[in-house]
Amino acid sequence: MLVVTTERIEGYKVVDVKGPVFGLIVRSRGLGGDIMAGLKGLVGGEIKQYTAMLEDSRKEAMDRMIKNANQMGANAIIMMRYDSGEIGNNMSEIVAYGTAVVVEKLA
Amino acid sequence: MTTFLGIGLYAMFQMIVVVVCILLGYFIYDKRYKSNRETKIPAGFELTEEVNLDPVTGEKTRVYYNPNTGERFYKKET
């Protein structure tokens, strides 16, 4: 599955557009991670507990989006983007979205 | 006396709940995504050019893709 952030894929031709596709995830850290992150917040620096949470969220959102595109019969996703938001105090929502297409390699 | 005992028991109950939540989170729920990945690539998965460098652990993982199911597999590389 080709996933690109551009409108066109070099060396390929879009032959069918399947439609919009997305993968959504809402994640939170556990109480232990939140306490440690809160303590780290007092002194500053990178909050690795939340970096890890967002890294994993983006991976999972991407995986879900690709799985959805596969189910739609696409073999590529163009114009892929991430969007994020917050739900509650310690929950993070990440969505990966794009346009599922079928591409053919140019001769 | 009875009131103090009641407050003490209630505080202890709250502490137990917090400790149980932390232990459950640490040992069961609050794991890294696909942290239990196997080193052997499952059948039907193809190599992609995608590589992830974990910002926290520094681990490098290579991504494999199954075109039949759409699933992705992360293999740790040394």
Side-chain angles (χ1 to χ4, degrees):
Chain A
M1 177 75 64
L2 281 167
V3 182
V4 296
T5 55
T6 51
E7 205 174 323
R8 291 189 180 84
I9 307 174
E10 193 65 34
Y12 289 84
K13 181 178 73 173
V14 174
V15 293
D16 193 10
V17 176
K18 295 290 182 183
V21 64
F22 67 90
L24 178 69
I25 176 80
V26 178
R27 268 183 174 263
S28 75
R29 289 296 312 196
L31 187 57
D34 265 346
I35 291 169
M36 293 307 291
L39 292 173
K40 189 71 196 286
L42 295 174
V43 293
E46 185 183 2
I47 314 292
K48 291 192 174 176
Q49 287 81 2
Y50 290 137
T51 303
M53 181 181 84
L54 291 176
E55 170 80 6
D56 290 355
S57 300
R58 286 184 183 241
K59 272 186 192 166
E60 200 160 358
M62 171 84 103
D63 288 0
R64 287 181 179 178
M65 177 187 67
I66 288 173
K67 201 167 183 180
N68 286 340
N70 180 274
Q71 293 299 306
M72 290 163 74
N75 64 358
I77 298 168
I78 57 172
M79 298 289 286
M80 197 284 280
R81 299 285 185 272
Y82 281 115
D83 200 355
S84 63
E86 282 177 15
I87 297 175
N89 288 330
N90 63 344
M91 286 175 241
S92 177
E93 169 219 0
I94 302 274
V95 61
Y97 64 94
T99 304
V101 294
V102 177
V103 293
E104 268 180 15
K105 201 161 194 171
L106 292 170
Chain B
M1 183 67 184
T2 314
T3 312
F4 279 125
L5 188 66
I7 291 170
L9 283 174
Y10 183 66
M12 194 181 288
F13 172 73
Q14 281 189 322
M15 277 178 64
I16 290 168
V17 169
V18 169
V19 169
V20 166
C21 286
I22 290 173
L23 291 176
L24 280 177
Y26 186 77
F27 288 108
I28 297 171
Y29 296 108
D30 197 9
K31 297 284 180 197
R32 297 297 306 272
Y33 178 56
K34 291 189 175 175
S35 58
N36 57 345
R37 54 185 169 265
E38 296 166 17
T39 49
K40 196 181 169 191
I41 302 149
F45 281 77
E46 296 170 357
L47 175 73
T48 71
E49 291 181 14
E50 194 178 331
V51 170
N52 289 126
L53 276 177
D54 193 284
V56 174
T57 62
E59 266 182 8
K60 183 179 174 185
T61 50
R62 177 79 58 180
V63 182
Y64 291 76
Y65 175 67
N66 188 331
N68 297 318
T69 62
E71 283 179 76
R72 279 146 62 86
F73 176 78
Y74 293 86
K75 184 179 180 292
K76 187 177 158 187
E77 284 191 347
T78 50

